[in-house]
Amino acid sequence: MDIIDKKILELLQADSTLTTKEIASHVNLSVSPTFERIKRLEKEGYICGYVAIVDPFKVGNGLIVLCNIRLKQHSKSMSSEFVKAMIAFDEVVEVYNTSGDYDYMMKLYVRDIHHYQDFVLNQLGTITSIGQVHSVFVIGKDKSSTVVPVY
């Protein structure tokens, strides 16, 4: 990956609706080689996809919850059961396998505290591999970005 590829990644992260022609003008290449570079970056997995970023609050998700999960025991089957279940829940938008006191950290979007309580009791409560849930409710968001630094 060279400096032009890095610039293309930065431009697309800032605005994925840019046309190939617009990107080409920013990187001082013609359209065809710029298109080929973008396709190569996609094929090689540098670009994982293109999405519209939706404001969670405007679509009814008034509460962000960070959940730390401790499994009952460390086994491949328990971990697999947990991850499979989390992938199926719409409320869960991110799941990280972590080190430290907890095995996993999740980010959830829910309508309100009642929705969260229902989620814990009727969704998480059915997952037999979960030993402990520790929740943190976000009261303010000072930074949120989808931009990955390109070095």
Side-chain angles (χ1 to χ4, degrees):
M1 179 176 351
D2 64 15
I3 195 162
I4 294 173
D5 291 337
K6 291 176 183 180
K7 181 67 175 171
I8 290 170
L9 291 176
E10 289 170 350
L11 289 165
L12 286 171
Q13 285 189 94
D15 183 359
S16 69
T17 65
L18 289 173
T19 65
T20 304
K21 184 177 179 181
E22 291 169 324
I23 294 168
S25 72
H26 284 292
V27 297
N28 297 317
L29 289 177
S30 63
V31 172
S32 184
T34 301
F35 178 81
E36 292 302 320
R37 282 176 178 262
I38 293 169
K39 289 301 167 196
R40 180 179 46 76
L41 290 167
E42 290 170 353
K43 182 180 177 188
E44 292 176 0
Y46 290 98
I47 297 172
C48 302
Y50 299 91
V51 299
I53 299 170
V54 175
D55 183 325
F57 298 100
K58 290 191 178 195
V59 294
N61 295 297
L63 187 59
I64 301 169
V65 184
L66 305 176
C67 286
N68 293 301
I69 303 291
R70 186 175 293 139
L71 298 180
K72 286 182 179 174
Q73 58 183 209
H74 294 103
S75 71
K76 187 173 184 174
S77 63
M78 288 238 174
S79 183
S80 294
E81 174 195 353
F82 172 77
V83 171
K84 184 178 178 181
M86 293 310 103
I87 289 170
F89 298 138
D90 292 337
E91 293 89 347
V92 178
V93 295
E94 296 177 38
V95 178
Y96 299 99
N97 185 217
T98 58
S99 65
D101 290 337
Y102 297 96
D103 301 308
Y104 288 91
M105 177 182 272
M106 305 180 313
K107 180 179 179 182
L108 314 172
Y109 287 119
V110 291
R111 289 183 305 278
D112 53 31
I113 195 71
H114 302 292
H115 182 186
Y116 179 68
Q117 182 181 25
D118 180 68
F119 178 78
V120 169
L121 295 175
N122 297 309
Q123 305 295 335
L124 292 184
T126 66
I127 313 298
T128 59
S129 58
I130 295 177
Q132 182 181 4
V133 177
H134 176 261
S135 302
V136 176
F137 301 99
V138 176
I139 58 172
K141 182 167 62 171
D142 296 317
K143 180 179 180 180
S144 179
S145 177
T146 60
V147 176
V148 175
V150 180
Y151 300 112

